[in-house]
Amino acid sequence: MKSINAPVLATLGLVLLALAGCGAPIAPAAPYAQVESVQPPIPDLQIQATAGMGGELEIVNRTNQEVVLFDERGAAYVRVTPTEVFERHGGVWTKTKDSNVYYCQDPRIKYAESELASGGARAPKRWSIQGQAGAHGFTITGQTIYARSTSLERATWLLLPALGLLALLAAAVAVMLKRRHS
């Protein structure tokens, strides 16, 4: 019976230790926004949530009118025409792009950093944004939800490194058995 080569065992041990210490992290929870309604509906005005870390809406103006969004104090802060976007900065309107699409990063949609840090972001955050299309007012309502990682996701991230270790161990045993029989 042959003895197992010491350098092979040392290398195998180091590889196993390295693999054991590099398990994949659990995917962090992330907030995401949901648009529940636009009331009254405005034909050819599309408003949807995007994947912008829970605080972004995409406004697409396919109407033949100017669409205006108002901040929490009722002041107009963006105008989206059928061909251009204007934002208000310090009381001055500035053209920001030649497009009928605006990505709205309204603070009412996002969780505050303090809510995220303290764990207070666990409950859905309800929000509404007032707007106007031509002479017609409308309200966008929705919620931002803090999505926690599920137990299945956590189990998957823990299981993958363990399966890798088992595969490596099986390969090492196969090599040792082959050497023993040669």
Side-chain angles (χ1 to χ4, degrees), residues 2-108:
K2 280 187 173 177
S3 65
I4 299 173
N5 190 342
V8 170
L9 275 179
T11 303
L12 178 61
L14 288 174
V15 169
L16 288 174
L17 281 173
L19 282 175
C22 68
I26 294 173
Y32 64 94
Q34 295 176 327
V35 174
E36 294 175 335
S37 71
V38 178
Q39 293 298 324
I42 306 292
D44 299 322
L45 178 63
Q46 178 185 344
I47 301 172
Q48 64 185 17
T50 67
M53 284 305 293
E56 186 173 85
L57 299 179
E58 178 185 62
I59 317 283
V60 181
N61 182 5
R62 292 190 178 103
T63 73
N64 59 1
Q65 309 170 71
E66 181 176 87
V67 172
V68 179
L69 297 181
F70 301 99
D71 66 17
E72 55 276 349
R73 296 179 315 277
Y77 72 93
V78 68
R79 296 181 2 232
V80 184
T81 74
T83 59
E84 301 170 318
V85 175
F86 297 86
E87 292 183 73
R88 186 181 208 141
H89 299 284
V92 177
W93 287 102
T94 305
K95 179 178 166 183
T96 55
K97 64 186 204 176
D98 291 316
S99 175
N100 67 336
V101 179
Y102 175 69
Y103 291 95
C104 172
Q105 297 183 349
D106 195 294
R108 290 172 282 186

